Amino acid sequence: MIPYILFFSFLFIISLFNLIKIESFEKIEKLLFFIFWFVVVFFIGFRYKMANDWYNYNNIIRGIEPFWDVLSGNATNFQGEKGIEYGFKILISLINMVFNSETSSSLQALTVIVSLFCYTVLFYVTWKEETVTYKFLFLATFISFTMFREFDILRQSIAFYIFLLSIKYINNSFFKYFLLNVLGSLFHVSALIFIPLYFIFKIKFSRVFILVLFGLHLITMITHFSFVTTILERLSNYFPELIFAQKLYLNSTTVEAQSSISIVGLLYAIYLLLLSANYEKIDFNNYKMRFFINSFFIFIIINIFFSDSKDIADRFSYYFYFGVAFVFVYLIKFIPKALYFPYVLLILIFPTIRFSRIISNPMTKSVLVPYRNYFFVTPSDEDNLLIKWKEKNEE
């Protein structure tokens, strides 16, 4: 736990200095931004054999054909049994030309390269984006939401960060936006969801819409009402062909019907109320402002309608944490300065809550605790990893 505590404490301290605008801090802002980037890439990029999927990725890497076979389309299992997208296959085959796929070196190289790309894009977009205030706080918040998720989803994270590069085209070039997200879909096909969302990002939603969303969020949080399950059940009575879709969705449901009141859920409700209360003060004529806030709305909608399917909700919610982090930081302008410190303290609270959920599951805990960095792995660490994964596979 100590490495995690130190990591998030660093994010917290830097974010607090950024928020209270210490003069000496502002003089070295660019240097601190680089240090911030380096710490994130080092901590996340050089993690060693961590999370649930590293073992699976290791097997995938060993099964990828040589680069020229993949490039020519002769590779087996393309979008088939293993469901590995073409772009990701090309990336792995290139890495295998340099590193040994039979050892863990290719997997470690893949982890570093993906993290280097993703966090460079994240920091670049954040630095250039004028709409994002308190950039350090924004980055720390976003990372606290996504880090444990990104330990696993190498393919989807590449697709997401390619999407971030496309947001500057939302108001001026659908074609460029389209091409970038098609490129992202070559690493994870779910990125195609961004193409129709292009038009949603441009909408200016009303205050009434926000209040309706607030009401639906409360209903879902308190009663755990299953919107999709209920809708499919009702429609299948009139359209029998939907019975298959109903069964397919029910197979994905992993949450028992129960109240899901939580600190995080209550905070989302507070965000919605603050957005509604300050609706007239928000510059919705700025298309970037609409994009970020609408991303938050989409996040809430996903969690409302797919609340009973953790797999679907988690998979697609990840794409819109960017909007959640933005709203978190943007709404600071509407709260008293006396509350700044506890507000920033949420940066530590969010990862703590998420981490407590993770370690409550013995299988997840075994692959995340303790944290291991590539440069500090010992022979005993390697032995413990093998024992844990043998136990996991036997179960």
Side-chain angles (χ1 to χ4, degrees):
M1 280 295 291
I2 293 177
Y4 292 110
I5 293 172
L6 293 175
F7 177 73
F8 284 107
S9 295
F10 168 78
L11 302 189
F12 170 77
I13 292 169
I14 295 294
S15 299
L16 186 60
F17 286 161
N18 179 215
L19 187 60
I20 60 181
K21 292 188 176 296
I22 297 176
E23 185 177 349
S24 57
F25 178 93
E26 294 180 345
K27 289 180 179 179
I28 57 171
E29 188 175 22
K30 288 184 179 179
L31 174 62
L32 287 174
F33 203 75
F34 172 79
I35 294 173
F36 204 131
W37 168 85
F38 177 81
V39 169
V40 170
V41 171
F42 183 82
F43 187 85
I44 299 176
F46 287 95
R47 66 189 183 277
Y48 185 73
K49 293 185 178 180
M50 290 184 64
N52 290 294
D53 280 356
W54 80 260
Y55 185 83
N56 297 328
Y57 274 118
N58 204 36
N59 290 334
I60 290 171
I61 286 173
R62 291 177 180 178
I64 296 295
E65 295 81 355
F67 172 72
W68 294 112
D69 287 340
V70 175
L71 196 65
S72 64
N74 293 326
T76 60
N77 292 320
F78 171 57
Q79 283 291 70
E81 178 186 350
K82 295 183 180 179
I84 306 303
E85 288 83 355
Y86 191 55
F88 196 68
K89 275 197 148 189
I90 289 177
L91 175 61
I92 293 177
S93 62
L94 283 171
I95 291 173
N96 285 347
M97 292 175 70
V98 181
F99 298 91
N100 187 352
S101 62
E102 295 303 316
T103 67
S104 62
S105 59
S106 280
L107 173 61
Q108 194 62 52
L110 175 68
T111 303
V112 173
I113 290 170
V114 170
S115 298
L116 185 62
F117 167 76
C118 292
Y119 292 108
T120 299
V121 169
L122 174 64
F123 276 68
Y124 171 78
V125 171
T126 302
W127 183 261
K128 291 291 186 180
E129 184 49 63
E130 295 180 359
T131 312
V132 177
T133 54
Y134 305 116
K135 298 181 186 300
F136 291 84
L137 178 60
F138 171 80
L139 288 167
T141 305
F142 178 74
I143 291 167
S144 74
F145 286 144
T146 61
M147 187 183 79
F148 297 120
R149 183 75 174 145
E150 289 183 354
F151 276 179
D152 271 321
I153 55 171
L154 297 179
R155 293 182 297 140
Q156 191 178 359
S157 60
I158 295 173
F160 169 73
Y161 288 102
I162 290 175
F163 162 69
L164 286 191
L165 293 174
S166 76
I167 62 176
K168 66 179 179 180
Y169 299 116
I170 286 175
N171 209 42
N172 53 49
S173 178
F174 174 74
F175 181 69
K176 292 179 180 178
Y177 176 91
F178 174 84
L179 287 181
L180 277 171
N181 286 294
V182 168
L183 174 63
S185 72
L186 295 179
F187 293 91
H188 203 278
V189 71
S190 64
L192 292 174
I193 192 177
F194 292 124
I195 295 175
L197 286 178
Y198 173 87
F199 305 98
I200 305 298
F201 291 139
K202 296 164 71 74
I203 295 174
K204 178 184 176 181
F205 289 103
S206 67
R207 177 182 274 137
V208 172
F209 171 83
I210 299 173
L211 291 174
V212 170
L213 210 57
F214 170 76
L216 292 175
H217 173 67
L218 286 184
I219 291 171
T220 307
M221 184 172 62
I222 295 172
T223 68
H224 208 85
F225 182 75
S226 304
F227 280 92
V228 173
T229 300
T230 303
I231 291 170
L232 285 174
E233 183 179 344
R234 297 289 185 271
L235 288 177
S236 62
N237 292 329
Y238 302 98
F239 304 99
E241 57 271 19
L242 289 177
I243 293 176
F244 175 75
Q246 181 187 1
K247 290 181 178 178
L248 191 65
Y249 181 76
L250 288 174
N251 288 335
S252 76
T253 58
T254 55
V255 181
E256 295 180 1
Q258 57 184 352
S259 171
S260 56
I261 297 176
S262 64
I263 294 175
V264 176
L266 290 172
L267 284 170
Y268 294 153
I270 292 171
Y271 292 159
L272 288 167
L273 283 179
L274 284 173
L275 285 171
S276 175
N278 298 283
Y279 186 84
E280 301 297 337
K281 302 175 185 177
I282 300 172
D283 182 17
F284 283 107
N285 292 322
N286 183 328
Y287 80 93
K288 287 289 185 69
M289 183 70 69
R290 293 199 302 271
F291 160 74
F292 287 119
I293 294 180
N294 288 359
S295 294
F296 173 63
F297 293 155
I298 294 170
F299 173 88
I300 297 296
I301 290 170
I302 288 172
N303 282 278
I304 287 173
F305 284 92
F306 299 102
S307 61
D308 55 347
S309 179
K310 188 175 184 298
D311 185 55
I312 294 176
D314 284 355
R315 178 68 66 181
F316 287 99
S317 291
Y318 165 76
Y319 280 140
F320 304 102
Y321 275 119
F322 208 66
V324 180
F326 175 83
V327 169
F328 180 104
V329 176
Y330 178 74
L331 291 177
I332 288 176
K333 66 193 301 182
F334 302 120
I335 67 171
K337 288 189 177 180
L339 297 177
Y340 277 12
F341 181 83
Y343 201 80
V344 178
L345 191 61
L346 290 174
I347 295 173
L348 288 181
I349 293 175
F350 273 120
T352 301
I353 293 172
R354 287 177 172 277
F355 199 68
S356 65
R357 290 178 179 175
I358 288 170
I359 63 177
S360 65
N361 183 330
M363 293 306 297
T364 310
K365 178 180 179 180
S366 69
V367 294
L368 286 178
V369 181
Y371 169 85
R372 296 177 179 84
N373 188 279
Y374 175 78
F375 292 102
F376 306 108
V377 176
T378 65
S380 62
D381 289 332
E382 194 69 28
D383 292 339
N384 289 332
L385 280 169
L386 290 174
I387 292 171
K388 285 182 178 180
W389 278 101
K390 284 180 180 178
E391 292 175 353
K392 186 177 189 303
N393 289 332
E394 287 174 0
E395 293 184 7

